[in-house]
Amino acid sequence: MKTSGLRIATRKGLFFSSKKNNWKLGEPSFLGDNCSAVLRHPVSNAIYVALDHGHFGVKLHRSRNDGESFSETATPAYPPHDDDAEPWVDMMGRTIPDSLQLIWCLESGHADQGERIWAGTIPGGLFRSDDGGDSWQLIESLWDDPQRRKWFGGGMDFPGIHSILVHPERPEDITIAVSCGGIWHSDDDGNSWSNIGEGMEAPYTPPDVANDPGIQDVHRLTRCRSYPDQMWLQHHAGIYRSEDAGSHWQQVENVKPSSFGFAVAVHPQNPDTAWFVPEIKDEHRIPADGRVVVNRTDDGGKSFSSFSNGLPGPMAYDLVFRHAFEIDQRGEILAMGSTTGSLWVSEDGGENWQTISNHLPPIYALRFE
Amino acid sequence: MAIVNFTQNLKRHVNCPETVSEGTTVAEVLGKVFEQEPFLEGYIVDEQGALRKHMVIFIDGIALKDRAKLSDPIPREDSEIFVMQALSGG
């Protein structure tokens, strides 16, 4: 699919940047409202936007007319509270609520599955809609898994599902990632789940649990579309690569200026090419030396090049969140949005960047369409 | 029975005119309102029926006590319920 533009979910509205107009920004939708996730559904062409109204809760809206107007749909809901059930208390001793706090990511199902949508939420819910958002089902097999109770919040107070990967050839094959709760895989359309991901290490936890796959703080998980077993992830403690669909991971060492970050993108046809946005870990979370750079490897992580042409610094403190770094379907265009409202596009593999705006609200999520 | 009013800020998002509704508790009164405006419910209570953290309800000027189940009684036939934002969060 040829890219026509970029949908931009921000703290204060949903924006669109048009490629044919040199990425010029159009009038926003939901101006003033907190947009946490956005999806252009490839089957129906509908646009979905998740809102976090704060006082008024989390909502989901849908447009079937190219963003001209939106209407509210159903919202994922957690099962009725059971006073007799043991409360979910995380390893920090915090009680996790059984009510929707945030829709953190939205993904379409396989092209053969109509208008199926997956939603990853905080706290720790995976939901599926088979009717374009008119109704939602909690994936109870995952929610009821006792291992799920090990999950805990990372940057957010409560654990959340931020990455959902549907296998491009096998619709029933789904892999998700949790912060903090590692990687989970289902090969039967979500009826059963396995916690996978040997090889990751969480050095910020006690040594006896540091290698437990079920507590890893994966920041973002992605896979190469043409070679789906080839995956990359940005972890709280570094960069990892898997060549067996996430079962085993090898850490990529010696990445300059840093291997910390939130975002990762992989080329859709070339699994050896991946991009990262390095930040200083971990309490700082700012670019090294105040310079925004994008790192790219073309050899599977053996070496990296840092690109800064068109990006700000020194004295630049843009942070790029996990859903605000995207590559288009052809692997030709990259887009990056920051917490300080900067938006950049690169049309040459990340080597040169064009500024679209330095004055948007904090950017949470980008989607090419 | 009670007269129910909603904060102006809510009207930007969802239809919620002043309305008269029946019931002996706040939950019952609002439940009748939500039957007419199904999307309104999720703006005021969460999926467990609890009042949202940064919302507040006054019944004849007295703040709602039971934020979990909204079981506070409606004192009079002409009681007034105000559904408002708390001055917190955002």
Side-chain angles (χ1 to χ4, degrees):
Chain A
M1 187 182 80
K2 195 169 182 181
T3 295
S4 62
L6 184 65
R7 203 69 58 172
I8 307 145
T10 81
R11 178 68 180 80
K12 295 289 180 184
L14 181 69
F15 295 78
F16 182 71
S17 173
S18 167
K19 181 175 185 295
K20 71 178 179 185
N21 292 329
N22 195 27
W23 303 105
K24 185 180 177 188
L25 291 164
E27 288 296 313
S29 307
F30 302 101
L31 186 60
D33 294 331
N34 188 353
C35 302
S36 62
V38 62
L39 172 69
R40 182 81 170 207
H41 201 286
V43 173
S44 68
N45 213 28
I47 301 168
Y48 293 86
V49 58
L51 305 177
D52 175 12
H53 282 313
H55 292 80
F56 304 133
V58 170
K59 312 297 172 196
L60 186 69
H61 287 246
R62 177 180 63 206
S63 172
R64 293 204 183 279
N65 57 8
D66 222 23
E68 285 290 311
S69 61
F70 285 82
S71 56
E72 189 170 345
T73 70
T75 305
Y78 287 77
H81 183 74
D82 180 356
D83 288 333
D84 297 327
E86 186 182 348
W88 180 13
V89 180
D90 71 10
M91 69 189 296
M92 315 287 187
R94 297 176 294 202
T95 299
I96 310 292
D98 48 7
S99 62
L100 182 63
Q101 307 294 305
L102 191 74
I103 296 175
W104 211 5
C105 68
L106 293 168
E107 296 292 346
S108 56
H110 192 272
D112 295 339
Q113 294 175 314
E115 204 173 7
R116 173 177 284 192
I117 310 167
W118 293 94
T121 65
I122 295 175
L126 180 65
F127 291 85
R128 190 180 76 204
S129 172
D130 287 321
D131 55 14
D134 288 333
S135 65
W136 290 90
Q137 296 81 45
L138 174 69
I139 305 303
E140 293 181 354
S141 53
L142 185 62
W143 183 251
D144 293 338
D145 192 312
Q147 297 297 313
R148 189 261 304 166
R149 288 177 172 260
K150 289 196 296 189
W151 300 357
F152 58 97
M156 302 287 194
D157 283 350
F158 307 121
I161 296 171
H162 51 68
S163 300
I164 302 169
L165 308 179
V166 179
H167 196 286
E169 289 142 27
R170 298 195 300 274
E172 70 285 358
D173 185 315
I174 301 135
T175 308
I176 65 164
V178 187
S179 176
C180 306
I183 300 169
W184 293 71
H185 175 250
S186 171
D187 59 9
D188 58 5
D189 207 24
N191 289 314
S192 63
W193 295 86
S194 302
N195 181 206
I196 61 172
E198 296 292 337
M200 290 183 282
E201 182 182 6
Y204 41 83
T205 58
D208 56 337
V209 297
N211 296 106
D212 181 346
I215 59 96
Q216 300 299 319
D217 186 7
V218 179
H219 283 182
R220 183 69 166 148
L221 174 69
T222 188
R223 82 185 329 156
C224 178
R225 199 175 67 236
S226 296
Y227 299 90
D229 284 354
Q230 301 284 329
M231 291 184 172
W232 290 85
L233 68 78
Q234 176 68 63
H235 185 281
H236 191 90
I239 292 167
Y240 287 85
R241 186 185 187 189
S242 170
E243 300 190 73
D244 60 3
S247 293
H248 300 87
W249 292 88
Q250 297 80 43
Q251 187 162 19
V252 177
E253 309 273 6
N254 301 317
V255 182
K256 304 296 181 188
S258 163
S259 61
F260 181 83
F262 293 93
V264 51
V266 60
H267 195 284
Q269 286 92 41
N270 182 357
D272 285 339
T273 297
W275 293 261
F276 299 84
V277 187
E279 308 274 346
I280 300 175
K281 72 175 181 181
D282 120 15
E283 65 276 20
H284 297 298
R285 304 188 181 199
I286 53 174
D289 302 321
R291 297 177 191 274
V292 178
V293 303
V294 171
N295 275 358
R296 187 184 77 201
T297 178
D298 295 309
D299 54 12
K302 295 185 184 71
S303 65
F304 283 82
S305 301
S306 288
F307 301 110
S308 60
N309 195 21
L311 299 175
M315 301 293 282
Y317 302 99
D318 297 75
L319 182 65
V320 175
F321 279 165
R322 69 199 79 211
H323 300 119
F325 188 54
E326 285 283 294
I327 188 164
D328 76 340
Q329 285 208 347
R330 293 182 168 194
E332 295 172 348
I333 309 171
L334 286 153
M336 180 166 71
S338 82
T339 53
T340 41
S342 295
L343 178 66
W344 304 279
V345 168
S346 170
E347 300 188 51
D348 62 358
E351 295 183 18
N352 295 280
W353 292 85
Q354 174 187 347
T355 299
I356 309 305
S357 176
N358 292 128
H359 306 289
L360 285 170
I363 295 170
Y364 293 148
L366 302 175
R367 276 291 164 81
F368 281 112
E369 57 183 62
Chain B
M1 198 159 72
I3 303 162
V4 187
N5 275 282
F6 299 93
T7 170
Q8 285 287 338
N9 290 327
L10 194 49
K11 293 172 182 172
R12 187 166 79 84
H13 302 294
V14 64
N15 189 37
C16 52
E18 179 182 300
T19 185
V20 176
S21 179
E22 296 200 356
T24 60
T25 66
V26 173
E28 288 179 10
V29 168
L30 289 181
K32 294 284 186 191
V33 178
F34 298 153
E35 286 176 11
Q36 303 301 312
E37 295 288 344
F39 279 115
L40 176 58
E41 182 173 11
Y43 286 79
I44 297 166
V45 297
D46 67 17
E47 60 264 64
Q48 307 301 342
L51 187 64
R52 290 199 174 279
K53 183 179 177 183
H54 299 298
M55 296 293 285
V56 63
I57 293 176
F58 289 97
I59 310 107
D60 296 332
I62 306 294
L64 178 83
K65 293 182 178 61
D66 181 6
R67 295 179 63 92
K69 298 188 184 307
L70 284 62
S71 64
D72 292 32
I74 304 299
R76 305 193 312 265
E77 277 293 298
D78 61 346
S79 283
E80 284 192 274
I81 294 177
F82 283 90
V83 179
M84 308 173 72
Q85 291 164 278
L87 292 176
S88 62

